[in-house]
Amino acid sequence: MLPNDRRPPRAPHSALADTLLERLTQTYAAAGDPARARAMAAYMKDVAPFLGIPTPLRRALSKTVTKDMPLPSEADCAALALRCWRLPEREYHYFAVDYLRRHVFRCSPALLPVVRHLITTVPWWDTADLLAARTVGPLVAAHPALAEAMDEWIGDEDLWLARAALLHQLGYKSATDTDRLFGYCRRRAAHPDFFLRKAIGWCLREYAKTDPAAVRAFVEAERASLSPLSVREALRNLGKDL
């Protein structure tokens, strides 16, 4: 499957995913709290139902789910993530996001269509941003040819893919491809969507930790096209605005 293949990926057979899903659903379901679930769903704009497991407990439970399990193959990672995404409650999606983050370095470019599907299915910032920075980013860093897929994502009509393209270099620091970083920001600067404007500011603010002068210069040159939100976020840690 090509990195930008838009067909829904099929979950490969995986005995490991079978075992993990059985453990996961039993462990998480037993820890659910309906009252907390309603509050969590409301906080996330009801994008998905929740079991009602607070983050510290969820992370502790996840460790029990994966304890003594073997390291996964790429097929195991894909199968687990896709099957978690079929479950309605958001905590299962979080488990998949965390699992991919931990094991992305065992994966090839063939995982990118799976991650694309996750970003664009039941999309919201709570999963899309972590997938962008902690799974897509490492995949592109390890396989530079995938940057061409980011060049497609930044112009996609699906704004979560465009946001992922903006955010995938968040952890790159001095390895940041500044031509792409600034080019992507410039390309989507005029878009009215809050999440794109916020992402532009966020990726610029993060790169400013590495090269503040470059970010200041970019904002100064592009201030007329950048939204006030993007400018404010980009310069947040650089002292007084230009």
Side-chain angles (χ1 to χ4, degrees):
M1 183 177 288
L2 298 174
N4 268 331
D5 193 330
R6 293 175 182 245
R7 292 173 297 175
R10 296 178 62 182
H13 172 75
S14 166
L16 178 58
D18 291 343
T19 301
L20 285 171
L21 261 293
E22 182 177 1
R23 287 187 178 190
L24 177 63
T25 52
Q26 291 177 356
T27 302
Y28 273 22
D33 180 336
R36 187 184 296 272
R38 289 190 290 272
M40 293 172 72
Y43 178 73
M44 287 296 170
K45 307 299 184 184
D46 292 309
V47 68
F50 279 75
L51 292 167
I53 307 174
T55 299
L57 176 58
R58 175 173 57 80
R59 288 174 176 164
L61 294 174
S62 296
K63 289 181 180 179
T64 69
V65 170
T66 58
K67 184 178 181 181
D68 299 326
M69 298 300 293
L71 291 173
S73 68
E74 180 176 303
D76 295 326
C77 290
L80 179 74
L82 290 169
R83 290 177 64 185
C84 280
W85 234 260
R86 293 174 187 167
L87 299 172
E89 291 84 8
R90 199 60 158 178
E91 286 91 341
Y92 296 122
H93 304 173
Y94 295 159
F95 182 88
V97 170
D98 290 342
Y99 197 81
L100 289 181
R101 173 181 58 82
R102 287 194 299 272
H103 300 296
V104 64
F105 297 104
R106 304 179 61 81
C107 298
S108 76
L111 186 69
L112 192 63
V114 172
V115 183
R116 186 189 190 283
H117 175 75
L118 304 183
I119 289 172
T120 58
T121 304
V122 198
W124 199 240
W125 61 265
D126 56 336
T127 55
D129 291 358
L130 284 173
L131 288 167
R134 301 296 182 87
T135 300
V136 176
L139 278 175
V140 176
H143 308 282
L146 289 181
E148 294 181 7
M150 299 299 99
D151 293 344
E152 294 187 22
W153 285 19
I154 190 61
D156 202 280
E157 293 180 0
D158 189 305
L159 299 184
W160 294 105
L161 282 182
R163 182 173 165 103
L166 285 162
L167 299 181
H168 84 277
Q169 295 194 82
L170 281 182
Y172 283 20
K173 300 181 180 180
S174 61
T176 299
D177 182 335
T178 54
D179 287 342
R180 278 193 164 90
L181 172 67
F182 295 143
Y184 287 2
C185 292
R186 189 179 295 111
R187 183 170 177 181
R188 303 313 299 250
H191 199 283
D193 181 75
F194 169 85
F195 287 104
L196 279 189
R197 292 182 169 192
K198 186 83 170 181
I200 289 169
W202 183 6
C203 63
L204 291 173
R205 183 176 75 245
E206 189 65 23
Y207 186 60
K209 298 175 183 177
T210 298
D211 192 343
V215 171
R216 280 186 175 276
F218 175 78
V219 172
E220 181 176 27
E222 303 294 332
R223 184 183 284 271
S225 61
L226 291 168
S227 70
L229 172 61
S230 297
V231 171
R232 184 169 63 251
E233 290 294 320
L235 302 179
R236 180 187 292 181
N237 298 325
L238 294 182
K240 188 176 180 180
D241 285 6
L242 293 168

PDB file of all heavy atoms in Angstrom, residues 25 46 48 50 56 70 90 95-96 110 118 125 129-130 136 147 154 159 167 170 172 174 186 200 217 231:
ATOM      1  N   THR A  25      -9.580  -4.845  26.655  1.00  0.00           N
ATOM      2  CA  THR A  25     -11.005  -4.607  26.840  1.00  0.00           C
ATOM      3  C   THR A  25     -11.487  -5.068  28.214  1.00  0.00           C
ATOM      4  O   THR A  25     -12.330  -4.409  28.831  1.00  0.00           O
ATOM      5  CB  THR A  25     -11.813  -5.305  25.735  1.00  0.00           C
ATOM      6  OG1 THR A  25     -11.434  -6.680  25.653  1.00  0.00           O
ATOM      7  CG2 THR A  25     -11.566  -4.636  24.385  1.00  0.00           C
ATOM      8  N   ASP A  46     -17.751  15.798  22.725  1.00  0.00           N
ATOM      9  CA  ASP A  46     -18.516  14.612  22.346  1.00  0.00           C
ATOM     10  C   ASP A  46     -18.070  14.015  21.012  1.00  0.00           C
ATOM     11  O   ASP A  46     -18.884  13.450  20.267  1.00  0.00           O
ATOM     12  CB  ASP A  46     -20.016  14.918  22.310  1.00  0.00           C
ATOM     13  CG  ASP A  46     -20.571  15.199  23.699  1.00  0.00           C
ATOM     14  OD1 ASP A  46     -20.331  14.380  24.610  1.00  0.00           O
ATOM     15  OD2 ASP A  46     -21.227  16.247  23.878  1.00  0.00           O
ATOM     16  N   ALA A  48     -16.327  11.440  20.814  1.00  0.00           N
ATOM     17  CA  ALA A  48     -16.414   9.996  21.006  1.00  0.00           C
ATOM     18  C   ALA A  48     -16.880   9.730  22.427  1.00  0.00           C
ATOM     19  O   ALA A  48     -16.667  10.559  23.315  1.00  0.00           O
ATOM     20  CB  ALA A  48     -15.055   9.334  20.767  1.00  0.00           C
ATOM     21  N   PHE A  50     -16.617   7.882  26.112  1.00  0.00           N
ATOM     22  CA  PHE A  50     -15.497   7.524  26.973  1.00  0.00           C
ATOM     23  C   PHE A  50     -15.923   6.447  27.958  1.00  0.00           C
ATOM     24  O   PHE A  50     -17.109   6.314  28.285  1.00  0.00           O
ATOM     25  CB  PHE A  50     -15.002   8.742  27.755  1.00  0.00           C
ATOM     26  CG  PHE A  50     -14.098   9.653  26.985  1.00  0.00           C
ATOM     27  CD1 PHE A  50     -14.610  10.507  26.002  1.00  0.00           C
ATOM     28  CD2 PHE A  50     -12.734   9.675  27.237  1.00  0.00           C
ATOM     29  CE1 PHE A  50     -13.773  11.352  25.292  1.00  0.00           C
ATOM     30  CE2 PHE A  50     -11.888  10.519  26.527  1.00  0.00           C
ATOM     31  CZ  PHE A  50     -12.412  11.364  25.555  1.00  0.00           C
ATOM     32  N   PRO A  56      -3.866   9.054  34.618  1.00  0.00           N
ATOM     33  CA  PRO A  56      -2.875   8.293  35.404  1.00  0.00           C
ATOM     34  C   PRO A  56      -3.270   6.828  35.570  1.00  0.00           C
ATOM     35  O   PRO A  56      -2.422   5.930  35.448  1.00  0.00           O
ATOM     36  CB  PRO A  56      -2.841   9.030  36.736  1.00  0.00           C
ATOM     37  CG  PRO A  56      -3.314  10.413  36.431  1.00  0.00           C
ATOM     38  CD  PRO A  56      -4.338  10.242  35.356  1.00  0.00           C
ATOM     39  N   PRO A  70       5.567  -9.908  24.101  1.00  0.00           N
ATOM     40  CA  PRO A  70       6.738  -9.747  23.227  1.00  0.00           C
ATOM     41  C   PRO A  70       6.689  -8.433  22.456  1.00  0.00           C
ATOM     42  O   PRO A  70       5.632  -7.798  22.340  1.00  0.00           O
ATOM     43  CB  PRO A  70       6.618 -10.942  22.279  1.00  0.00           C
ATOM     44  CG  PRO A  70       5.164 -11.269  22.263  1.00  0.00           C
ATOM     45  CD  PRO A  70       4.661 -10.970  23.645  1.00  0.00           C
ATOM     46  N   ARG A  90     -13.002   6.288  23.627  1.00  0.00           N
ATOM     47  CA  ARG A  90     -11.771   7.003  23.278  1.00  0.00           C
ATOM     48  C   ARG A  90     -10.536   6.433  23.967  1.00  0.00           C
ATOM     49  O   ARG A  90      -9.435   6.507  23.414  1.00  0.00           O
ATOM     50  CB  ARG A  90     -11.936   8.483  23.640  1.00  0.00           C
ATOM     51  CG  ARG A  90     -10.947   9.418  22.943  1.00  0.00           C
ATOM     52  CD  ARG A  90     -11.081   9.335  21.437  1.00  0.00           C
ATOM     53  NE  ARG A  90     -10.559  10.509  20.764  1.00  0.00           N
ATOM     54  CZ  ARG A  90     -10.535  10.648  19.438  1.00  0.00           C
ATOM     55  NH1 ARG A  90     -10.993   9.691  18.667  1.00  0.00           N
ATOM     56  NH2 ARG A  90     -10.061  11.749  18.886  1.00  0.00           N
ATOM     57  N   PHE A  95      -4.878   4.142  23.861  1.00  0.00           N
ATOM     58  CA  PHE A  95      -3.965   3.005  24.008  1.00  0.00           C
ATOM     59  C   PHE A  95      -3.218   2.767  22.698  1.00  0.00           C
ATOM     60  O   PHE A  95      -1.996   2.554  22.694  1.00  0.00           O
ATOM     61  CB  PHE A  95      -4.740   1.745  24.408  1.00  0.00           C
ATOM     62  CG  PHE A  95      -3.867   0.543  24.614  1.00  0.00           C
ATOM     63  CD1 PHE A  95      -3.303   0.279  25.847  1.00  0.00           C
ATOM     64  CD2 PHE A  95      -3.618  -0.342  23.561  1.00  0.00           C
ATOM     65  CE1 PHE A  95      -2.487  -0.838  26.037  1.00  0.00           C
ATOM     66  CE2 PHE A  95      -2.806  -1.455  23.739  1.00  0.00           C
ATOM     67  CZ  PHE A  95      -2.244  -1.701  24.982  1.00  0.00           C
ATOM     68  N   ALA A  96      -3.928   2.821  21.578  1.00  0.00           N
ATOM     69  CA  ALA A  96      -3.298   2.608  20.281  1.00  0.00           C
ATOM     70  C   ALA A  96      -2.263   3.687  19.984  1.00  0.00           C
ATOM     71  O   ALA A  96      -1.164   3.395  19.481  1.00  0.00           O
ATOM     72  CB  ALA A  96      -4.364   2.592  19.181  1.00  0.00           C
ATOM     73  N   ALA A 110       5.377   1.634   5.280  1.00  0.00           N
ATOM     74  CA  ALA A 110       4.084   1.003   5.029  1.00  0.00           C
ATOM     75  C   ALA A 110       3.073   1.272   6.140  1.00  0.00           C
ATOM     76  O   ALA A 110       1.870   1.066   5.941  1.00  0.00           O
ATOM     77  CB  ALA A 110       4.264  -0.506   4.855  1.00  0.00           C
ATOM     78  N   LEU A 118      -6.026   6.661  10.989  1.00  0.00           N
ATOM     79  CA  LEU A 118      -6.306   6.989  12.390  1.00  0.00           C
ATOM     80  C   LEU A 118      -6.506   8.494  12.565  1.00  0.00           C
ATOM     81  O   LEU A 118      -7.398   8.932  13.303  1.00  0.00           O
ATOM     82  CB  LEU A 118      -5.167   6.512  13.293  1.00  0.00           C
ATOM     83  CG  LEU A 118      -4.783   5.031  13.234  1.00  0.00           C
ATOM     84  CD1 LEU A 118      -3.697   4.733  14.255  1.00  0.00           C
ATOM     85  CD2 LEU A 118      -5.991   4.129  13.448  1.00  0.00           C
ATOM     86  N   TRP A 125      -8.049  16.792  18.233  1.00  0.00           N
ATOM     87  CA  TRP A 125      -6.660  17.088  18.555  1.00  0.00           C
ATOM     88  C   TRP A 125      -6.039  16.093  19.525  1.00  0.00           C
ATOM     89  O   TRP A 125      -4.810  15.903  19.532  1.00  0.00           O
ATOM     90  CB  TRP A 125      -6.545  18.504  19.129  1.00  0.00           C
ATOM     91  CG  TRP A 125      -7.313  18.734  20.397  1.00  0.00           C
ATOM     92  CD1 TRP A 125      -8.561  19.259  20.523  1.00  0.00           C
ATOM     93  CD2 TRP A 125      -6.891  18.422  21.739  1.00  0.00           C
ATOM     94  NE1 TRP A 125      -8.941  19.299  21.835  1.00  0.00           N
ATOM     95  CE2 TRP A 125      -7.930  18.803  22.615  1.00  0.00           C
ATOM     96  CE3 TRP A 125      -5.726  17.882  22.284  1.00  0.00           C
ATOM     97  CZ2 TRP A 125      -7.843  18.637  23.999  1.00  0.00           C
ATOM     98  CZ3 TRP A 125      -5.637  17.708  23.662  1.00  0.00           C
ATOM     99  CH2 TRP A 125      -6.687  18.094  24.504  1.00  0.00           C
ATOM    100  N   ASP A 129      -2.830  15.045  17.169  1.00  0.00           N
ATOM    101  CA  ASP A 129      -1.570  15.738  17.441  1.00  0.00           C
ATOM    102  C   ASP A 129      -0.475  14.775  17.878  1.00  0.00           C
ATOM    103  O   ASP A 129       0.687  14.891  17.451  1.00  0.00           O
ATOM    104  CB  ASP A 129      -1.778  16.815  18.506  1.00  0.00           C
ATOM    105  CG  ASP A 129      -2.629  17.969  17.998  1.00  0.00           C
ATOM    106  OD1 ASP A 129      -3.018  17.958  16.826  1.00  0.00           O
ATOM    107  OD2 ASP A 129      -2.919  18.880  18.803  1.00  0.00           O
ATOM    108  N   LEU A 130      -0.805  13.831  18.737  1.00  0.00           N
ATOM    109  CA  LEU A 130       0.195  12.867  19.184  1.00  0.00           C
ATOM    110  C   LEU A 130       0.613  11.952  18.035  1.00  0.00           C
ATOM    111  O   LEU A 130       1.798  11.611  17.907  1.00  0.00           O
ATOM    112  CB  LEU A 130      -0.339  12.049  20.347  1.00  0.00           C
ATOM    113  CG  LEU A 130      -0.377  12.778  21.695  1.00  0.00           C
ATOM    114  CD1 LEU A 130      -1.099  11.928  22.742  1.00  0.00           C
ATOM    115  CD2 LEU A 130       1.045  13.084  22.166  1.00  0.00           C
ATOM    116  N   VAL A 136       4.064   9.949  13.060  1.00  0.00           N
ATOM    117  CA  VAL A 136       4.407  10.427  11.720  1.00  0.00           C
ATOM    118  C   VAL A 136       5.796  11.050  11.715  1.00  0.00           C
ATOM    119  O   VAL A 136       6.617  10.766  10.831  1.00  0.00           O
ATOM    120  CB  VAL A 136       3.362  11.443  11.221  1.00  0.00           C
ATOM    121  CG1 VAL A 136       3.779  12.003   9.862  1.00  0.00           C
ATOM    122  CG2 VAL A 136       1.993  10.801  11.125  1.00  0.00           C
ATOM    123  N   ALA A 147       8.671  12.498   3.265  1.00  0.00           N
ATOM    124  CA  ALA A 147       8.395  13.937   3.269  1.00  0.00           C
ATOM    125  C   ALA A 147       7.510  14.324   2.086  1.00  0.00           C
ATOM    126  O   ALA A 147       6.756  15.303   2.165  1.00  0.00           O
ATOM    127  CB  ALA A 147       9.697  14.723   3.243  1.00  0.00           C
ATOM    128  N   ILE A 154      -0.212  18.578   3.483  1.00  0.00           N
ATOM    129  CA  ILE A 154      -0.367  19.982   3.846  1.00  0.00           C
ATOM    130  C   ILE A 154      -1.424  20.667   2.989  1.00  0.00           C
ATOM    131  O   ILE A 154      -2.082  21.618   3.420  1.00  0.00           O
ATOM    132  CB  ILE A 154       0.978  20.741   3.745  1.00  0.00           C
ATOM    133  CG1 ILE A 154       0.865  22.144   4.350  1.00  0.00           C
ATOM    134  CG2 ILE A 154       1.460  20.830   2.302  1.00  0.00           C
ATOM    135  CD1 ILE A 154       0.497  22.183   5.811  1.00  0.00           C
ATOM    136  N   LEU A 159      -8.472  18.907   7.125  1.00  0.00           N
ATOM    137  CA  LEU A 159      -7.612  19.832   7.863  1.00  0.00           C
ATOM    138  C   LEU A 159      -6.799  19.142   8.952  1.00  0.00           C
ATOM    139  O   LEU A 159      -5.790  19.684   9.390  1.00  0.00           O
ATOM    140  CB  LEU A 159      -8.460  20.964   8.448  1.00  0.00           C
ATOM    141  CG  LEU A 159      -9.201  21.814   7.397  1.00  0.00           C
ATOM    142  CD1 LEU A 159      -9.937  22.960   8.071  1.00  0.00           C
ATOM    143  CD2 LEU A 159      -8.236  22.327   6.337  1.00  0.00           C
ATOM    144  N   LEU A 167       2.681  19.730  12.118  1.00  0.00           N
ATOM    145  CA  LEU A 167       3.197  19.359  13.440  1.00  0.00           C
ATOM    146  C   LEU A 167       4.192  18.212  13.427  1.00  0.00           C
ATOM    147  O   LEU A 167       4.813  17.933  14.466  1.00  0.00           O
ATOM    148  CB  LEU A 167       2.031  18.983  14.366  1.00  0.00           C
ATOM    149  CG  LEU A 167       0.990  20.068  14.634  1.00  0.00           C
ATOM    150  CD1 LEU A 167      -0.085  19.541  15.584  1.00  0.00           C
ATOM    151  CD2 LEU A 167       1.635  21.330  15.219  1.00  0.00           C
ATOM    152  N   LEU A 170       7.730  18.604  15.077  1.00  0.00           N
ATOM    153  CA  LEU A 170       7.825  19.255  16.392  1.00  0.00           C
ATOM    154  C   LEU A 170       9.066  18.847  17.173  1.00  0.00           C
ATOM    155  O   LEU A 170       9.639  19.664  17.895  1.00  0.00           O
ATOM    156  CB  LEU A 170       6.574  18.945  17.229  1.00  0.00           C
ATOM    157  CG  LEU A 170       5.308  19.738  16.924  1.00  0.00           C
ATOM    158  CD1 LEU A 170       4.200  19.332  17.883  1.00  0.00           C
ATOM    159  CD2 LEU A 170       5.555  21.243  17.019  1.00  0.00           C
ATOM    160  N   TYR A 172      11.993  17.756  15.943  1.00  0.00           N
ATOM    161  CA  TYR A 172      13.181  17.639  15.113  1.00  0.00           C
ATOM    162  C   TYR A 172      14.327  18.560  15.531  1.00  0.00           C
ATOM    163  O   TYR A 172      15.481  18.297  15.217  1.00  0.00           O
ATOM    164  CB  TYR A 172      12.831  17.927  13.654  1.00  0.00           C
ATOM    165  CG  TYR A 172      12.140  16.810  12.925  1.00  0.00           C
ATOM    166  CD1 TYR A 172      11.480  15.789  13.606  1.00  0.00           C
ATOM    167  CD2 TYR A 172      12.115  16.781  11.535  1.00  0.00           C
ATOM    168  CE1 TYR A 172      10.831  14.766  12.924  1.00  0.00           C
ATOM    169  CE2 TYR A 172      11.476  15.767  10.841  1.00  0.00           C
ATOM    170  CZ  TYR A 172      10.832  14.764  11.554  1.00  0.00           C
ATOM    171  OH  TYR A 172      10.198  13.755  10.867  1.00  0.00           O
ATOM    172  N   SER A 174      17.271  20.837  15.563  1.00  0.00           N
ATOM    173  CA  SER A 174      18.198  21.291  14.526  1.00  0.00           C
ATOM    174  C   SER A 174      18.069  20.497  13.229  1.00  0.00           C
ATOM    175  O   SER A 174      18.610  20.914  12.198  1.00  0.00           O
ATOM    176  CB  SER A 174      19.643  21.212  15.033  1.00  0.00           C
ATOM    177  OG  SER A 174      19.983  19.884  15.370  1.00  0.00           O
ATOM    178  N   ARG A 186       3.432  29.160   5.426  1.00  0.00           N
ATOM    179  CA  ARG A 186       3.053  30.179   4.442  1.00  0.00           C
ATOM    180  C   ARG A 186       1.868  29.696   3.601  1.00  0.00           C
ATOM    181  O   ARG A 186       0.942  30.474   3.321  1.00  0.00           O
ATOM    182  CB  ARG A 186       4.258  30.473   3.548  1.00  0.00           C
ATOM    183  CG  ARG A 186       4.091  31.653   2.624  1.00  0.00           C
ATOM    184  CD  ARG A 186       5.343  31.876   1.784  1.00  0.00           C
ATOM    185  NE  ARG A 186       6.495  32.254   2.593  1.00  0.00           N
ATOM    186  CZ  ARG A 186       7.569  31.486   2.795  1.00  0.00           C
ATOM    187  NH1 ARG A 186       7.625  30.270   2.244  1.00  0.00           N
ATOM    188  NH2 ARG A 186       8.567  31.914   3.524  1.00  0.00           N
ATOM    189  N   ILE A 200       0.078  26.363  13.152  1.00  0.00           N
ATOM    190  CA  ILE A 200       1.132  27.196  12.575  1.00  0.00           C
ATOM    191  C   ILE A 200       1.929  27.872  13.690  1.00  0.00           C
ATOM    192  O   ILE A 200       3.164  27.837  13.711  1.00  0.00           O
ATOM    193  CB  ILE A 200       0.536  28.238  11.611  1.00  0.00           C
ATOM    194  CG1 ILE A 200       0.032  27.548  10.343  1.00  0.00           C
ATOM    195  CG2 ILE A 200       1.564  29.317  11.259  1.00  0.00           C
ATOM    196  CD1 ILE A 200      -0.803  28.440   9.447  1.00  0.00           C
ATOM    197  N   ALA A 217      12.372  36.330  12.058  1.00  0.00           N
ATOM    198  CA  ALA A 217      12.482  36.856  10.695  1.00  0.00           C
ATOM    199  C   ALA A 217      11.308  36.392   9.842  1.00  0.00           C
ATOM    200  O   ALA A 217      10.758  37.169   9.044  1.00  0.00           O
ATOM    201  CB  ALA A 217      13.802  36.407  10.075  1.00  0.00           C
ATOM    202  N   VAL A 231       0.651  34.418  14.962  1.00  0.00           N
ATOM    203  CA  VAL A 231       1.741  35.297  15.377  1.00  0.00           C
ATOM    204  C   VAL A 231       1.929  35.241  16.893  1.00  0.00           C
ATOM    205  O   VAL A 231       3.052  35.107  17.398  1.00  0.00           O
ATOM    206  CB  VAL A 231       1.472  36.747  14.925  1.00  0.00           C
ATOM    207  CG1 VAL A 231       2.491  37.704  15.546  1.00  0.00           C
ATOM    208  CG2 VAL A 231       1.505  36.833  13.400  1.00  0.00           C
TER     209      VAL A 231
END
